[in-house]
Amino acid sequence: MERNIGIFGGDDRYCYLANDLILRGNKVWVWELGSERSACPLLSEYEKVEAVKSFSELARVCQVLVGPVPFSKYLKEKKEFGDSLCKALQPGQYFYAGGIPKELADTLKNSGVKVTDFLKEKSFLKKNAELTAQGLVAEVMCAWKKRIKGAKVLVTGFGFCGREIAGIMRGVGADVTVCVRRMQSAWEAYEAGFSIGYYEQLDGLLPGMDIVINTVPAMVIPEDRLRHAREKTLFVEIASAPGGFSTELAEKLGMMVLLCPGLPGKYAPEGAALAMAECIV
């Protein structure tokens, strides 16, 4: 059964997503993926793509709406959009995005909208983490300028991204230590064959590291501990705000800082789109 699915505000992943949803038998409507179809070449071949001029029109014609990842960043750029979203969506409609603020999600759910946050779906998180790890290797190689084989690497966090990143860095020859807070995470990392550290031990861990990769969206490396790292250590941030360390202080202390948001969209947009499409009912 053909459904009208509206896609808005996304990057290249969303062109691939539109493509995939069309091949699954849906009609796709787009807003702010470019003012013309030629701005999104992947969509130009399909008759089942329609562009609209406003979000209210998109919401009026589509049962399913798909917004950006991360959605919180999109809301910061469009400060009044949250209110427009709540006014436009009706009970029974579906809304998908990644990183939806809890207050907004609760408001939509209370009004009868069926809300799915990609970043809370395990199947999406696992595939997204795999793509993030693959892209991260490319970013680190460009920034590090040295052999990764033999480098001392600290990965903070052992969730979906931390696990994949630790594994792929070990796979290219790095000596990887995983820094965790919980005993369960420590046990999982130990079973996977990694050296273990705790955040309380960072004073002793950081001086020996060449590369530090943060996957935790919380300040797990506070300023007093950050000062223990060596100059020229490469600090990599993939987590969303507020991040795991002060990038400003790290740079001031002579460390290299690499910010890596949205790696799946940059390196593997088609794979990232497929992960999203499989979450859309």
Side-chain angles (χ1 to χ4, degrees):
M1 178 179 175
E2 182 181 88
R3 295 179 299 168
N4 288 342
I5 300 180
I7 300 176
F8 68 95
D11 52 26
D12 285 352
R13 288 174 288 184
Y14 288 73
C15 295
Y16 285 103
L17 176 61
N19 179 22
D20 189 273
L21 293 172
I22 289 166
L23 294 176
R24 292 173 188 243
N26 301 288
K27 181 165 184 176
V28 170
W29 301 68
V30 298
W31 175 64
E32 288 197 340
L33 290 185
S35 58
E36 301 176 359
R37 289 189 189 182
S38 60
C40 200
L42 288 168
L43 305 183
S44 62
E45 302 176 12
Y46 295 99
E47 294 181 358
K48 290 189 175 182
V49 176
E50 296 287 348
V52 298
K53 295 182 179 179
S54 68
F55 178 76
S56 60
E57 185 181 354
L58 192 73
R60 187 166 60 250
V61 298
C62 296
Q63 178 192 10
V64 179
L65 283 299
V66 184
V69 180
F71 194 62
S72 55
K73 179 181 178 182
Y74 185 77
L75 290 175
K76 286 182 180 179
E77 296 170 352
K78 291 184 167 290
K79 298 189 182 299
E80 305 299 325
F81 185 77
D83 292 338
S84 300
L85 183 73
C86 293
K87 291 177 182 177
L89 295 185
Q90 302 298 315
Q93 285 184 293
Y94 293 80
F95 177 61
Y96 295 83
I100 307 169
K102 184 178 184 305
E103 184 178 353
L104 177 60
D106 290 344
T107 299
L108 291 170
K109 289 176 183 177
N110 291 337
S111 69
V113 177
K114 299 175 183 179
V115 178
T116 298
D117 191 325
F118 292 126
L119 299 185
K120 294 183 179 179
E121 297 293 308
K122 287 187 177 180
S123 62
F124 174 84
L125 287 171
K126 183 170 181 8
K127 292 173 183 175
N128 198 63
E130 292 170 358
L131 298 173
T132 297
Q134 292 172 28
L136 183 71
V137 171
E139 292 281 336
V140 169
M141 288 179 70
C142 289
W144 182 234
K145 309 294 186 186
K146 304 176 187 178
R147 292 178 61 192
I148 295 179
K149 184 175 182 180
K152 300 284 188 181
V153 175
L154 180 69
V155 177
T156 56
F158 201 64
F160 288 102
C161 279
R163 184 186 301 269
E164 292 294 333
I165 288 169
I168 203 166
M169 292 302 290
R170 180 172 61 185
V172 295
D175 180 1
V176 180
T177 298
V178 175
C179 192
V180 297
R181 188 182 306 280
R182 298 183 300 114
M183 286 296 297
Q184 179 63 32
S185 299
W187 177 248
E188 291 172 0
Y190 174 78
E191 283 194 316
F194 296 105
S195 300
I196 308 301
Y198 294 93
Y199 294 117
E200 295 80 2
Q201 300 171 316
L202 281 171
D203 292 1
L205 289 171
L206 287 173
M209 296 298 160
D210 299 306
I211 302 171
V212 178
I213 304 170
N214 177 62
T215 72
V216 183
M219 194 64 68
V220 293
I221 308 177
E223 293 188 0
D224 59 330
R225 289 180 174 152
L226 184 61
R227 294 178 184 277
H228 289 269
R230 300 193 312 255
E231 276 192 48
K232 305 302 181 184
T233 300
L234 176 61
F235 274 79
V236 185
E237 181 66 86
I238 69 157
S240 56
F245 58 90
S246 168
T247 57
E248 182 178 353
L249 178 61
E251 290 176 338
K252 184 177 179 180
L253 293 173
M255 300 156 198
M256 296 184 289
V257 174
L258 180 60
L259 305 180
C260 296
L263 290 175
K266 180 178 179 180
Y267 286 97
E270 187 171 2
L274 179 60
M276 287 190 284
E278 292 176 349
C279 292
I280 297 173
V281 297

